[in-house]
Amino acid sequence: MPSPRRLVQLVLGCVVLGVGVAMLLTADLGSDGYSTMVNGIALASGMSFLLANTLVSIAFLVLAAARKVFPGIGTVVQIVVVGVTVDFLLGAWDVPGGWPARIALLVLAFPVLAVGIATYLGSHTGAGPAEAAALAYDPPLPFRWSYSVVQGGGALLGWLLGATVGVGTLAVIVALGPCVDLASRLLRLDVHQGRTT
């Protein structure tokens, strides 16, 4: 069982991540690649977003486990806490009226997302599906780039299946992995799972 300090770090990181996701979605300039893929699968298959998200999450976690990145309590907490936080904030926030405000919100979302991801992964309690899939290939590919591959591949598949992409989607693909890497170094956190030092 993780220590109380690690559990607090996990929950705090997930709340911050949820705030960042809500900022990204409220900017309404495109979602992350993972969500784009889930949306595309839902559109192409006719299943609900929730069911598609569940199936994709399981597939990503199985893929990660095959490379010895196993789910943990943090995997469940990430999915639940981020989901609840995003749901609450999207109900409370309105999309900004002008392009400058939307772009500013998109830009501000990145440090929030990066700190949230680095903090929750740094608790070493398990990774969410997208992060687990990226960490499974580090090594050989550093997380800052493997995360871009996961997000980019997801966006491409989602787009091919009928989902829309935007400048926010492209920004996530290019910048979020390096931002998480920078945040983890500034906060002195190791995002790799299974390491408690």
Side-chain angles (χ1 to χ4, degrees):
M1 182 70 180
S3 68
R5 183 192 67 79
R6 287 167 62 201
L7 288 174
V8 169
Q9 180 179 334
L10 166 64
V11 173
L12 179 61
C14 289
V15 170
V16 173
L17 173 55
V19 172
V21 172
M23 292 170 70
L24 177 68
L25 295 177
T26 301
D28 198 25
L29 294 170
S31 65
D32 62 281
Y34 181 86
S35 299
T36 302
M37 175 176 58
V38 172
N39 192 36
I41 291 171
L43 289 170
S45 66
M47 69 178 75
S48 69
F49 185 91
L50 178 60
L51 178 57
N53 186 53
T54 301
L55 293 176
V56 171
S57 296
I58 292 170
F60 272 49
L61 292 172
V62 169
L63 172 68
R67 291 185 58 88
K68 306 201 182 308
V69 176
F70 298 104
I73 187 172
T75 307
V76 178
V77 170
Q78 192 259 22
I79 293 169
V80 173
V81 172
V82 171
V84 169
T85 303
V86 171
D87 213 39
F88 173 77
L89 292 176
L90 288 181
W93 293 349
D94 295 320
V95 176
W99 282 101
R102 291 168 65 187
I103 291 171
L105 188 59
L106 173 65
V107 171
L108 289 172
F110 276 80
V112 178
L113 288 164
V115 168
I117 293 171
T119 301
Y120 105 77
L121 288 178
S123 71
H124 301 281
T125 53
E131 291 80 29
L135 287 168
Y137 290 89
D138 176 11
L141 194 61
F143 176 77
R144 63 183 177 273
W145 304 124
S146 63
Y147 197 57
S148 294
V149 170
V150 168
Q151 293 289 346
L156 178 61
L157 178 59
W159 178 72
L160 290 172
L161 292 174
T164 58
V165 298
V167 65
T169 313
L170 299 176
V172 167
I173 294 168
V174 172
L176 188 53
C179 285
V180 173
D181 181 68
L182 176 61
S184 66
R185 285 188 280 117
L186 290 174
L187 296 171
R188 298 182 180 179
L189 295 169
D190 180 7
V191 300
H192 301 85
Q193 301 308 291
R195 304 177 192 175
T196 56
T197 56

